[in-house]
mmCIF file of all heavy atoms in Angstrom:
data_model
loop_
_atom_site.group_PDB
_atom_site.id
_atom_site.type_symbol
_atom_site.label_atom_id
_atom_site.label_comp_id
_atom_site.label_asym_id
_atom_site.label_seq_id
_atom_site.Cartn_x
_atom_site.Cartn_y
_atom_site.Cartn_z
ATOM 1 N N THR A 147 33.458 -13.088 -94.172
ATOM 2 C CA THR A 147 32.586 -12.014 -93.682
ATOM 3 C C THR A 147 32.584 -10.829 -94.649
ATOM 4 O O THR A 147 32.079 -9.760 -94.335
ATOM 5 C CB THR A 147 33.032 -11.516 -92.292
ATOM 6 O OG1 THR A 147 34.275 -10.796 -92.418
ATOM 7 C CG2 THR A 147 33.227 -12.661 -91.328
ATOM 8 N N ASN A 148 33.159 -11.005 -95.827
ATOM 9 C CA ASN A 148 33.270 -9.903 -96.779
ATOM 10 C C ASN A 148 33.022 -10.416 -98.204
ATOM 11 O O ASN A 148 33.891 -10.983 -98.836
ATOM 12 C CB ASN A 148 34.680 -9.297 -96.643
ATOM 13 C CG ASN A 148 34.945 -8.201 -97.662
ATOM 14 O OD1 ASN A 148 34.202 -8.023 -98.629
ATOM 15 N ND2 ASN A 148 36.023 -7.478 -97.439
ATOM 16 N N GLU A 149 31.798 -10.208 -98.659
ATOM 17 C CA GLU A 149 31.367 -10.733 -99.955
ATOM 18 C C GLU A 149 32.244 -10.231 -101.101
ATOM 19 O O GLU A 149 32.575 -10.963 -102.029
ATOM 20 C CB GLU A 149 29.912 -10.319 -100.206
ATOM 21 C CG GLU A 149 29.354 -10.816 -101.514
ATOM 22 C CD GLU A 149 28.199 -11.790 -101.310
ATOM 23 O OE1 GLU A 149 27.386 -11.524 -100.408
ATOM 24 O OE2 GLU A 149 28.137 -12.793 -102.031
ATOM 25 N N LYS A 150 32.615 -8.988 -101.004
ATOM 26 C CA LYS A 150 33.428 -8.379 -102.071
ATOM 27 C C LYS A 150 34.738 -9.156 -102.271
ATOM 28 O O LYS A 150 35.163 -9.392 -103.405
ATOM 29 C CB LYS A 150 33.726 -6.919 -101.686
ATOM 30 C CG LYS A 150 34.458 -6.104 -102.729
ATOM 31 C CD LYS A 150 33.468 -5.535 -103.718
ATOM 32 C CE LYS A 150 34.053 -4.846 -104.938
ATOM 33 N NZ LYS A 150 35.427 -4.539 -104.980
ATOM 34 N N SER A 151 35.344 -9.524 -101.161
ATOM 35 C CA SER A 151 36.624 -10.236 -101.269
ATOM 36 C C SER A 151 36.425 -11.586 -101.948
ATOM 37 O O SER A 151 37.299 -12.076 -102.652
ATOM 38 C CB SER A 151 37.265 -10.407 -99.884
ATOM 39 O OG SER A 151 36.568 -11.368 -99.104
ATOM 40 N N PHE A 152 35.236 -12.163 -101.751
ATOM 41 C CA PHE A 152 34.906 -13.434 -102.421
ATOM 42 C C PHE A 152 34.707 -13.208 -103.913
ATOM 43 O O PHE A 152 35.243 -13.934 -104.748
ATOM 44 C CB PHE A 152 33.655 -14.040 -101.790
ATOM 45 C CG PHE A 152 33.184 -15.293 -102.479
ATOM 46 C CD1 PHE A 152 33.857 -16.496 -102.300
ATOM 47 C CD2 PHE A 152 32.073 -15.263 -103.314
ATOM 48 C CE1 PHE A 152 33.437 -17.653 -102.954
ATOM 49 C CE2 PHE A 152 31.640 -16.408 -103.959
ATOM 50 C CZ PHE A 152 32.321 -17.599 -103.783
ATOM 51 N N ASP A 153 33.933 -12.175 -104.254
ATOM 52 C CA ASP A 153 33.693 -11.885 -105.674
ATOM 53 C C ASP A 153 35.006 -11.630 -106.410
ATOM 54 O O ASP A 153 35.157 -11.964 -107.583
ATOM 55 C CB ASP A 153 32.781 -10.660 -105.820
ATOM 56 C CG ASP A 153 31.380 -10.944 -105.282
ATOM 57 O OD1 ASP A 153 31.023 -12.142 -105.179
ATOM 58 O OD2 ASP A 153 30.661 -9.987 -104.954
ATOM 59 N N ASN A 154 35.944 -11.038 -105.709
ATOM 60 C CA ASN A 154 37.217 -10.703 -106.347
ATOM 61 C C ASN A 154 38.126 -11.909 -106.612
ATOM 62 O O ASN A 154 39.110 -11.790 -107.330
ATOM 63 C CB ASN A 154 37.989 -9.680 -105.506
ATOM 64 C CG ASN A 154 37.594 -8.261 -105.876
ATOM 65 O OD1 ASN A 154 37.190 -8.015 -107.013
ATOM 66 N ND2 ASN A 154 37.708 -7.347 -104.942
ATOM 67 N N ILE A 155 37.802 -13.040 -106.015
ATOM 68 C CA ILE A 155 38.634 -14.228 -106.257
ATOM 69 C C ILE A 155 38.738 -14.499 -107.762
ATOM 70 O O ILE A 155 39.801 -14.828 -108.279
ATOM 71 C CB ILE A 155 38.067 -15.460 -105.512
ATOM 72 C CG1 ILE A 155 38.272 -15.303 -104.001
ATOM 73 C CG2 ILE A 155 38.726 -16.750 -106.004
ATOM 74 C CD1 ILE A 155 39.709 -15.413 -103.521
ATOM 75 N N LYS A 156 37.617 -14.291 -108.462
ATOM 76 C CA LYS A 156 37.644 -14.512 -109.914
ATOM 77 C C LYS A 156 38.661 -13.608 -110.594
ATOM 78 O O LYS A 156 39.353 -14.022 -111.528
ATOM 79 C CB LYS A 156 36.258 -14.247 -110.504
ATOM 80 C CG LYS A 156 35.269 -15.315 -110.160
ATOM 81 C CD LYS A 156 33.926 -15.058 -110.795
ATOM 82 C CE LYS A 156 32.972 -16.160 -110.366
ATOM 83 N NZ LYS A 156 31.577 -15.827 -110.647
ATOM 84 N N ASN A 157 38.727 -12.353 -110.118
ATOM 85 C CA ASN A 157 39.707 -11.427 -110.703
ATOM 86 C C ASN A 157 41.125 -11.869 -110.400
ATOM 87 O O ASN A 157 42.017 -11.765 -111.236
ATOM 88 C CB ASN A 157 39.491 -10.010 -110.173
ATOM 89 C CG ASN A 157 38.123 -9.471 -110.559
ATOM 90 O OD1 ASN A 157 37.591 -9.854 -111.606
ATOM 91 N ND2 ASN A 157 37.550 -8.617 -109.730
ATOM 92 N N TRP A 158 41.302 -12.366 -109.190
ATOM 93 C CA TRP A 158 42.645 -12.847 -108.831
ATOM 94 C C TRP A 158 43.030 -14.050 -109.680
ATOM 95 O O TRP A 158 44.177 -14.192 -110.101
ATOM 96 C CB TRP A 158 42.731 -13.182 -107.340
ATOM 97 C CG TRP A 158 42.717 -11.956 -106.481
ATOM 98 C CD1 TRP A 158 41.786 -11.611 -105.540
ATOM 99 C CD2 TRP A 158 43.698 -10.912 -106.479
ATOM 100 N NE1 TRP A 158 42.121 -10.405 -104.971
ATOM 101 C CE2 TRP A 158 43.288 -9.958 -105.523
ATOM 102 C CE3 TRP A 158 44.862 -10.686 -107.200
ATOM 103 C CZ2 TRP A 158 44.010 -8.798 -105.266
ATOM 104 C CZ3 TRP A 158 45.586 -9.527 -106.958
ATOM 105 C CH2 TRP A 158 45.161 -8.603 -105.999
ATOM 106 N N ILE A 159 42.065 -14.910 -109.937
ATOM 107 C CA ILE A 159 42.367 -16.077 -110.768
ATOM 108 C C ILE A 159 42.780 -15.623 -112.168
ATOM 109 O O ILE A 159 43.732 -16.133 -112.757
ATOM 110 C CB ILE A 159 41.154 -17.036 -110.829
ATOM 111 C CG1 ILE A 159 40.975 -17.690 -109.449
ATOM 112 C CG2 ILE A 159 41.346 -18.100 -111.916
ATOM 113 C CD1 ILE A 159 39.789 -18.623 -109.342
#
Side-chain angles (χ1 to χ4, degrees):
Chain A
T147 70
N148 176 347
E149 181 116 40
K150 185 85 188 348
S151 72
F152 176 75
D153 294 339
N154 272 332
I155 289 290
K156 288 182 182 166
N157 298 330
W158 288 118
I159 290 178

